[in-house]
Amino acid sequence: MNEIRFDPARSSLGGSSRRGPHRLAAALGCPINWALRYIDGHRPKEEPTFRLGGTLIHTGVAVHHALQMKQPPPWFDLLGRGTVEQRIVQAVSMQAQGRPDDIRAALAVTEAYRDYDVGRPWTTLMVEYEFMATMGEVWALRHSSPCPPDVIDELVSARTDWVGLINGYFQMVDHKTLNPRNANNSLGTYRDHHEHFWQAAVNKLVATAELKRSGGPEVESFNIQRITRSLPLDVSIDAILLPTVAMDEIPRAMVTALRQERQLMAWIDGGEKLPRHFHQCYGRFGNCDFVNVCHATSKQEQLAVLANDFYSVT
């Protein structure tokens, strides 16, 4: 296999991809959600328990896999010089101060996952890593025709939880924490290929484009690893189905999203009010984070909600 060159500075514990599938999807969805989350950088001060639990397990699993690397990323040393168990406790606790029950639950699942991971044919090369490529590089992977010139140099990104070798093949893995689907705490058969297709397709194309530029290997597959949020632990890993015809359309959809972002920024810069897509206020996981902003009775109330219920990461 060709040598894989990673930039350690592009690995970070927590955060999201700068211009990845979630941001691009948001641009094609509700403009207000996109602007508040990705331009203004607003995040809820109080995370729902189901989301915080998933974040904490992600963190514990990331620290565990970082220890398996020949050279852990820079953030690993910031967790102190204790044992891996102590570093996991430190990392998880930092993200959930004042939530001891959530911390204990996440640590229990992480410890069970570490036991489960022993002996698996996985070679960890990088964790919490963000790949980056130009839209032109991504376009060229699927089309012989020229990339639209107005977006050819636009940067797109793809952040993934785990990158490495599984049974000798170069793969990407994203962790998803879920409640068990039956009484014996089993996750059951994976049936969510369509739900995760956009994320998997964009991530694989962006990563492949960067690796091709540097002479690295081809990405064999993008996998979803499901982990139960409670004990007893159940873990399942499944490669997302990426049909050829659908994959050919992904670069076109990305171009549409980039153009939509440009239009939204033009409206913002021009002082125009962004539209609100109220049909998207409620989704699979409940209310949009910003539902109380959009449903406020006055501008003053909107500002108060943002000030009291959110913090900014920008």
Side-chain angles (χ1 to χ4, degrees):
M1 176 181 291
N2 295 335
E3 180 184 1
I4 306 170
R5 294 189 292 273
F6 294 105
D7 177 1
R10 283 200 253 148
S11 173
S12 61
L13 191 60
S16 58
S17 182
R18 280 170 281 187
R19 210 176 193 184
H22 298 303
R23 172 171 168 163
L24 295 178
L28 295 173
C30 178
I32 287 294
N33 182 307
W34 170 84
L36 290 174
R37 185 179 304 278
Y38 295 103
I39 304 304
D40 297 337
H42 289 299
R43 299 291 186 273
K45 290 180 180 178
E46 189 74 13
E47 290 277 16
T49 297
F50 80 89
R51 189 189 298 171
L52 179 63
T55 298
L56 298 182
I57 293 170
H58 269 76
T59 298
V61 169
V63 176
H64 162 69
H65 283 301
L67 183 68
Q68 299 172 335
M69 296 170 55
K70 290 182 179 179
Q71 180 61 51
W75 54 260
F76 188 78
D77 290 333
L78 300 178
L79 300 175
R81 298 188 176 278
T83 65
V84 64
E85 291 85 0
Q86 291 170 330
R87 295 190 194 209
I88 290 173
V89 171
Q90 171 73 359
V92 170
S93 300
M94 286 169 54
Q95 296 192 350
Q97 295 181 10
R99 305 279 287 268
D101 292 342
D102 295 312
I103 292 172
R104 280 193 292 269
L107 291 175
V109 171
T110 301
E111 190 60 30
Y113 177 85
R114 294 184 64 219
D115 291 338
Y116 170 85
D117 194 49
V118 173
R120 278 207 293 182
W122 286 33
T123 302
T124 302
L125 300 179
M126 183 56 76
V127 295
E128 302 296 322
Y129 191 74
E130 184 173 38
F131 291 95
M132 300 187 72
T134 66
M135 190 62 235
E137 290 174 319
V138 172
W139 182 274
L141 294 175
R142 308 300 301 187
H143 299 287
S144 58
S145 60
C147 177
D150 61 313
V151 296
I152 192 171
D153 294 323
E154 295 276 0
L155 283 176
V156 289
S157 59
R159 180 187 172 95
T160 190
D161 294 332
W162 185 93
V163 182
L165 306 178
I166 300 179
N167 292 317
Y169 294 97
F170 186 78
Q171 313 227 19
M172 303 170 70
V173 175
D174 191 75
H175 310 306
K176 303 290 185 187
T177 58
L178 300 95
N179 292 321
R181 291 185 172 176
N182 49 46
N184 63 0
N185 222 54
S186 171
L187 289 166
T189 303
Y190 182 73
R191 297 186 177 90
D192 299 327
H193 291 278
H194 301 311
E195 178 183 352
H196 298 130
F197 171 74
W198 169 255
Q199 176 191 0
V202 173
N203 276 25
K204 184 178 180 183
L205 287 177
V206 173
T208 298
E210 178 178 330
L211 291 167
K212 183 177 181 179
R213 184 197 323 131
S214 60
E218 183 177 349
V219 179
E220 179 72 17
S221 63
F222 184 95
N223 305 272
I224 295 295
Q225 177 171 251
R226 298 178 297 155
I227 305 171
T228 50
R229 291 194 180 112
S230 59
L231 300 179
L233 181 76
D234 192 21
V235 179
S236 173
I237 183 164
D238 296 272
I240 299 299
L241 301 176
L242 301 174
T244 298
V245 173
M247 285 294 288
D248 289 344
E249 294 301 318
I250 291 296
R252 292 191 176 94
M254 294 173 69
V255 167
T256 300
L258 292 173
R259 287 171 172 166
Q260 176 70 356
E261 280 205 327
R262 184 181 303 158
Q263 178 62 64
L264 294 175
M265 286 304 302
W267 286 345
I268 292 172
D269 293 340
E272 295 187 44
K273 191 174 182 179
L274 295 181
R276 288 159 169 75
H277 290 181
F278 289 103
H279 62 283
Q280 295 187 339
C281 288
Y282 188 86
R284 176 184 176 188
F285 299 107
N287 286 333
C288 166
D289 287 341
F290 304 105
V291 67
N292 290 331
V293 177
C294 292
H295 288 260
T297 58
S298 67
K299 180 67 175 178
Q300 290 72 22
E301 184 181 339
Q302 287 181 332
L303 295 175
V305 171
L306 288 173
N308 294 331
D309 297 345
F310 295 86
Y311 68 95
S312 178
V313 297
T314 57

